[in-house]
């Protein structure tokens, strides 16, 4: 068949050939997909190692999760005296099945970051019956606190307060803030917005615009929120974006409109999550503040396990991680390298 | 008479919606069209809209072709854009130095991957007769993991002058580069549709596959080709998006854009069941979505309510565009003019585009 003219002899040979090519392509990509999605299990043998079962979300979920999984692998490595097995899936029932399997296999400790907060009661009870200590990390489960030992999570409210406290110390004449929220109703959005809304209600700041980057915390949406404020002629001097990607989008809008920002600029830019590109932007004075949301819970949990082994008491219930905020004055290379997540563009490189 | 009418009418709806939104914006503030030159580029609401909608426009064009030939939609375009752009970024960062040539090579590689993805989806649809939405669901769910692996498990940073010029402004050029790229893309597609029989073939296959085959058109080849073209569109959209963002975030890049792309096709007056199509309509549809998003922001609709307001607006729009309402309106308009009733609703709809399949089907009987 030619695309220039219609021929009446549409060959069935060609049709068959197209079919064969099509089938080959489908097979090829199917194989590639399966190869790409295989799970990962780490097991090592040693002299009576501590057996740990880790149930986590998949690393491709986010840069946060990637750093989290890496941190777990590093801390609970065979070299440190652990025999760790892990399952990374976003499917709650698969997670529960994996946890049940680990209990059957007789692990000493079970670490869980649940895809869904509910449905865990039975498996947690069977862990208790089997004498397996359960630690939750990053995500809480809706269950009785007696069903697990401790939960180590980020305090989103504290993160918002860190940013707001820093801002109010900057001595700006007036605080005209553009708030760019994340996915509405998510724990991070509720926590981080809370400090801003409280400061507004207390009359400490004025909320010039209140927008959102939507369910995907979108850079483009954040950019549109700021562009709308600029073209409407609004006067503002603070961007409070609830993650780094949205802060980047907001800054793109400022740049396009020729509005200065960062160190010595008109607009203060605040981001969250400690992406390394964001930290480098702060270091270069391109942004002003970034607040941590640490994905690295493994060391603290490992410390608790060692304490238990030594017969020392450990905390129970919900334990919040200590997070920090860094600005252009307090940033160091060490923070960028050891506390950041995702790729590092290198010192002095600005990500516009 | 009818032909002339049919060519213009399908654009009436998207254009009037766009006009309505513009009027709302102008009422909100007469400075809506104001332009200024900042940092060597035009700045204002209109450039912002053209800039923001560029990826969506590109994807809507490809989606129109696939919709026409296969009678279904590809819901993996956002994911495909993330994969193609991850290949682009991998090639750029793998090179010793980023030059215009490496960017060009990376872009071509992205297009090649896009074609491959299109061929994969296309074969499932054309050869195995899987519903397009189900076929592309595979990539929709698994594709971001592929992009994540190509990225080397981190979001790589581009951070260089050349790509940020592509995502921003070229020195000495008054208009932002993504706007120009989109314009070039539209021109190339227009050229393709004008100089080849692609449009006719895609429509014939979409209207009636059997009849098309009897006329010597291979439906498998045509469907595959439209999916491959959509693959190229995803590569172009991914390229623009990643240059704008300056880094490759496999999780969020072009997320959920497939829904807007399908919506653009629908607003453009195209039947989602396939058959006759208007690329112009889809392009206007894409810009309409962008204007709608920005209008809601400009009107300062409550953040919590913004999604609901958008949904209501689109529902009203779709009901107005439905054949039932249009048939009724056409009747109401025609009755006083001609004095006599022209016939059944089915006949009324004939000068639109939705009932075109029926016209073809009538011919199929021997």
């Amino acid at each position: 068949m030619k695309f220039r003219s219609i021929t009446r002899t549409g060959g069935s040979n060609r049709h068959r050939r197209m079919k064969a090519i099509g089938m080959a392509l489908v097979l090829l990509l199917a194989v590639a997909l399966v190869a790409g999605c295989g799970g990962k299990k780490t097991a090592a043998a040693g002299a009576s190692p501590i057996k740990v079962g880790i149930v986590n979300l998949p690393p491709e979920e986010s840069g946060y999760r990637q750093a989290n999984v890496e941190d777990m692998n590093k801390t609970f490595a065979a070299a440190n005296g652990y025999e760790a097995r892990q399952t990374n899936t976003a499917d709650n029932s698969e997670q529960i099945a994996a946890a049940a399997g680990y209990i059957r296999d007789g692990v000493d400790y079970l670490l869980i970051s649940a895809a869904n907060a509910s449905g865990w009661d039975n498996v947690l009870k069977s862990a208790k019956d089997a004498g397996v200590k359960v630690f939750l990390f990053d995500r809480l489960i809706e269950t009785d606190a007696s069903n697990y030992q401790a939960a180590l999570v980020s305090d989103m409210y504290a993160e918002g307060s860190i940013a707001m406290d820093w801002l109010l110390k900057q001595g700006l004449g007036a605080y005209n803030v553009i708030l760019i929220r994340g996915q509405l109703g998510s724990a991070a959005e509720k926590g981080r917005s809370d400090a801003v809304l409280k400061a507004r209600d207390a009359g400490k700041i004025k909320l010039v615009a209140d927008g959102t980057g939507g369910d995907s915390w979108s850079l483009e949406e954040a950019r549109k929120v700021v562009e709308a404020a600029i073209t409407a002629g609004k006067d503002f001097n603070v961007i409070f974006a609830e993650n780094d990607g949205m802060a980047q989008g907001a800054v793109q809008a400022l740049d396009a409109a020729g509005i200065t920002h960062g160190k010595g600029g008109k607009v203060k830019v605040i981001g969250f999550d400690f992406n390394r590109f964001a930290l480098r932007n702060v270091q270069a004075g391109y942004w002003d503040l970034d607040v941590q949301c640490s994905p690295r819970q493994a060391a603290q949990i490992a410390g608790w396990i060692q304490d238990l082994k030594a017969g020392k008491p450990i905390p129970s219930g919900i334990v919040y991680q200590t997070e920090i905020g860094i600005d252009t004055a307090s940033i160091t290379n060490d923070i960028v390298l050891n506390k950041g997540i995702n790729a590092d563009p290198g010192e002095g490189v600005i990500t516009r | 008479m009818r032909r002339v009418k049919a060519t213009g009418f399908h654009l009436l709806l998207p254009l009037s919606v766009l006009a309505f939104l513009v009027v709302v914006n102008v009422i909100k503030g007469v400075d809506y069209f104001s332009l200024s030159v900042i940092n060597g580029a035009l700045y204002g609401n209109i450039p912002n809209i053209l800039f923001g909608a560029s990826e969506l426009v590109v994807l809507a064009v490809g989606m129109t072709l696939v919709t026409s030939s296969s009678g279904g939609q590809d819901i993996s375009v956002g994911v495909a854009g993330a994969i193609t752009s991850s290949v682009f970024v991998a090639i750029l960062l793998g090179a010793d130095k980023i030059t215009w040539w490496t960017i060009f090579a990376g872009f071509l590689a992205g297009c090649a991957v896009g074609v491959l993805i299109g061929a994969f989806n296309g074969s499932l649809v054309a050869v195995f007769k899987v519903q397009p939405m189900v076929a592309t669901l595979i990539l929709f769910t698994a594709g971001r993991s592929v992009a994540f692996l190509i990225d080397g498990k981190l979001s790589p940073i581009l951070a260089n002058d050349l790509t940020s010029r592509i995502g921003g402004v070229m020195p000495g050029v008054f208009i932002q580069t993504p706007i120009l790229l989109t314009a070039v893309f539209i021109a190339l597609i227009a050229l393709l549709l004008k100089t080849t029989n692609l449009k006719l073939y895609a429509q014939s296959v979409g209207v009636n596959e059997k009849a098309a085959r009897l006329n010597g058109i291979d439906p498998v080849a045509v469907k595959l080709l439209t999916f491959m073209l959509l693959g190229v569109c995803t590569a172009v959209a991914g390229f623009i998006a990643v240059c704008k963002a300056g880094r490759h975030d496999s999780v969020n890049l072009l997320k959920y854009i497939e829904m807007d792309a399908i919506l653009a096709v629908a607003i453009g007056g195209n039947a989602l069941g396939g058959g006759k199509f208007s690329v112009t309509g889809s392009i206007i549809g894409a810009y309409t979505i962008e204007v709608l998003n920005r209008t809601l922001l400009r009107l300062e609709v409550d953040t919590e309510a913004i999604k609901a307001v958008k949904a209501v607006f689109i529902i009203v729009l779709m009901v107005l565009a439905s054949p039932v309402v249009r048939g009724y309106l056409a009747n109401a308009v025609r009755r006083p003019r001609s004095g006599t009733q022209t016939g059944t609703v089915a006949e009324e709809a004939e000068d639109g585009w939705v009932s075109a399949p029926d016209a073809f089907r009538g011919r199929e009987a021997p």
Side-chain angles (χ1 to χ4, degrees):
Chain A
M1 181 182 58
K2 281 177 192 158
F3 269 82
R4 281 238 155 240
S5 62
I6 302 174
T7 52
R8 288 219 163 251
T9 52
S12 62
N13 265 338
R14 177 180 296 270
H15 185 69
R16 225 171 283 142
R17 208 161 61 222
M18 297 297 293
K19 255 188 177 168
I21 294 172
M23 283 194 196
L25 274 167
V26 169
L27 275 176
L28 191 80
L29 265 122
V31 169
L33 279 177
V34 170
C37 302
K40 192 187 170 191
K41 275 184 187 144
T42 43
S48 77
I50 302 171
K51 285 186 187 165
V52 181
I54 303 170
V55 178
N56 205 345
L57 292 151
E60 58 267 31
E61 179 214 61
S62 60
Y64 176 97
R65 193 61 54 188
Q66 166 62 17
N68 179 258
V69 169
E70 229 167 54
D71 182 50
M72 289 287 162
N73 286 339
K74 209 172 87 189
T75 308
F76 295 106
N80 298 338
Y82 292 98
E83 185 189 324
R85 294 176 54 195
Q86 64 172 280
T87 301
N88 301 330
T89 170
D91 183 334
N92 207 44
S93 51
E94 271 178 38
Q95 284 196 329
I96 290 173
Y102 291 151
I103 296 167
R104 257 200 317 277
D105 295 350
V107 293
D108 303 313
Y109 299 95
L110 194 55
L111 276 54
I112 303 171
S113 185
N116 199 316
S118 52
W120 286 87
D121 282 341
N122 284 338
V123 78
L124 291 182
K125 276 191 191 107
S126 69
K128 201 154 74 172
D129 293 342
V132 177
K133 283 251 186 302
V134 176
F135 294 104
L136 309 182
F137 61 97
D138 174 45
R139 296 199 181 185
L140 293 172
I141 288 175
E142 284 163 12
T143 185
D144 194 77
S146 66
N147 283 339
Y148 57 88
Q149 174 63 40
L152 185 60
V153 295
S154 286
D155 188 349
M156 303 296 178
Y157 290 87
E159 289 173 17
S161 302
I162 289 173
M164 197 34 81
D165 293 347
W166 174 87
L167 182 63
L168 293 174
K169 274 189 218 138
Q170 298 309 301
L172 307 179
Y175 294 94
N176 297 318
V177 180
I178 293 184
L179 171 63
I180 306 171
R181 304 178 190 229
Q183 180 182 20
L184 296 178
S186 65
E189 183 271 324
K190 283 199 283 195
R192 291 169 188 175
S193 304
D194 186 66
V196 181
L197 300 178
K198 274 188 182 142
R200 178 200 61 185
D201 294 342
K204 291 176 189 159
I205 63 162
K206 200 178 143 217
L207 216 50
V208 173
D210 179 0
T212 172
D215 293 351
S216 57
W217 303 71
S218 149
L219 181 152
E220 291 81 14
E221 293 298 319
R223 180 172 175 149
K224 283 171 205 171
V225 169
V226 179
E227 279 174 349
I230 293 170
T231 49
K234 298 212 165 140
D235 188 35
F236 59 92
N237 59 359
V238 178
I239 300 269
F240 190 104
E242 291 180 358
N243 85 349
D244 288 332
M246 297 194 299
Q248 191 197 353
V251 169
Q252 286 182 354
L254 296 181
D255 278 345
I259 298 171
T260 60
H261 52 86
K263 202 174 183 177
K266 184 194 170 203
V267 177
K268 299 274 173 213
V269 178
I270 300 172
F272 286 83
D273 287 351
F274 261 35
N275 275 289
R276 291 198 176 93
F277 84 85
L279 296 174
R280 292 297 184 193
N281 280 356
V282 172
Q283 192 173 33
Y286 190 64
W287 295 8
D288 296 280
L289 179 78
D290 207 61
V291 179
Q292 186 185 24
C293 181
S294 176
R296 298 186 174 88
Q297 295 104 356
Q300 195 163 347
I301 294 174
W304 289 342
I305 290 175
Q306 296 302 333
D307 283 352
L308 272 178
K309 221 177 147 195
K312 289 187 214 159
I314 62 160
S316 60
I318 297 172
V319 180
Y320 290 115
Q321 304 182 80
T322 3
E323 318 272 14
I324 53 169
I326 54 107
D327 59 9
T328 49
S330 61
I331 188 152
T332 62
N333 277 331
D334 185 55
I335 290 176
V336 181
L337 295 175
N338 297 321
K339 302 210 160 145
I341 62 172
N342 275 327
D344 180 11
E347 192 174 354
V349 179
I350 291 171
T351 305
R352 285 176 206 285
Chain B
M1 258 301 264
R2 266 198 175 166
R3 272 188 68 96
V4 178
K5 235 179 176 177
T7 48
F9 183 70
H10 67 273
L11 292 181
L12 192 66
L13 175 87
L15 279 176
S16 50
V17 175
L18 196 56
F20 168 76
L21 287 172
V22 169
V23 168
V24 168
N25 275 298
V26 171
I27 291 171
K28 168 76 182 162
V30 277
D31 58 342
Y32 187 60
F33 293 109
S34 70
L35 285 172
S36 52
V37 176
I38 298 172
N39 293 341
L42 278 179
Y43 191 84
N45 281 311
I46 304 303
N48 283 350
I49 290 163
L50 297 178
F51 178 89
S54 36
E55 298 101 317
L56 183 58
V57 169
V58 171
L59 289 176
V61 169
M63 189 70 83
T64 312
L65 296 175
V66 162
T67 300
S68 165
S69 74
S70 74
Q73 285 73 40
D74 183 337
I75 55 168
S76 71
V77 289
V79 178
I83 297 177
T84 53
S85 55
S86 70
V87 172
F88 166 72
V89 170
I91 286 180
L92 248 61
L93 297 182
D96 299 328
K97 196 168 170 285
I98 296 175
T99 62
W100 290 118
W101 286 111
T102 50
I103 290 174
F104 186 62
F107 174 69
L108 284 186
C111 288
V113 173
V115 168
L116 203 66
I117 291 171
F120 172 68
N121 287 333
S123 342
L124 284 174
V125 172
V127 180
F128 295 93
K129 313 281 183 215
V130 182
Q131 272 287 317
M133 212 170 265
V134 178
T136 51
L137 189 64
I138 301 169
L139 214 60
F140 178 77
T141 37
R144 295 218 177 249
S145 314
V146 176
F148 173 77
L149 288 177
I150 298 172
D151 276 351
K153 303 184 177 181
L154 296 163
S155 312
I157 313 280
L158 280 174
N160 72 90
D161 285 341
L162 300 187
T163 51
S164 54
R165 273 181 213 163
I166 295 173
V169 193
M170 297 272 182
V173 182
F174 271 105
I175 298 167
Q176 285 157 312
T177 324
I179 300 176
L180 296 174
L181 289 175
T182 314
V184 169
F185 176 83
I186 292 174
L188 286 177
I189 287 290
L191 195 70
L192 180 77
L193 293 181
K194 278 269 181 288
T195 56
T196 68
N197 282 329
L198 177 66
K199 180 166 182 173
L200 178 66
Y201 285 178
Q203 291 183 150
S204 323
V205 170
V207 167
N208 189 327
E209 223 180 297
K210 270 186 195 160
R213 184 192 294 262
L214 288 175
N215 281 293
I217 301 169
D218 183 355
V220 175
V222 171
K223 282 186 194 171
L224 256 180
L225 189 73
T226 52
F227 269 96
M228 285 167 159
L229 275 172
L230 176 59
V232 174
C233 295
T234 64
V236 175
F239 171 72
I240 296 176
V242 80
C243 287
K244 275 183 183 176
R247 64 195 171 86
H248 193 270
D249 181 351
S250 64
V251 182
N252 289 323
L253 193 82
L254 294 175
K255 204 171 192 177
Y256 305 139
I257 199 168
E258 45 276 338
M259 298 307 150
D260 276 349
I262 296 169
L263 188 62
V265 175
I267 293 179
N270 297 296
L272 293 186
K276 293 187 114 187
F277 69 88
S278 153
V279 167
T280 318
S282 298
I283 292 171
I284 298 171
Y287 284 118
T288 306
I289 293 172
E290 182 75 14
V291 173
L292 172 61
N293 287 337
R294 288 175 186 269
T295 306
L296 296 180
L297 285 172
R298 189 171 156 88
L299 296 178
E300 296 180 53
V301 175
D302 221 31
T303 314
E304 282 88 356
I306 213 160
K307 261 190 192 167
V309 174
K310 192 180 167 188
V312 169
F313 186 89
I314 287 162
I315 290 169
V316 171
L317 194 60
M318 290 294 106
V319 169
L320 283 179
S322 67
V324 176
V325 174
R326 272 190 303 112
Y328 178 81
L329 286 178
N331 249 342
V333 170
R334 202 168 295 172
R335 221 175 280 142
R337 209 185 287 159
S338 61
T340 53
Q341 209 160 331
T342 358
T344 62
V345 175
E347 211 182 311
E348 287 302 332
E350 217 170 284
D351 52 3
W353 57 98
V354 179
S355 62
D358 303 317
F360 267 73
R361 245 169 238 134
R363 251 177 256 162
E364 192 193 341

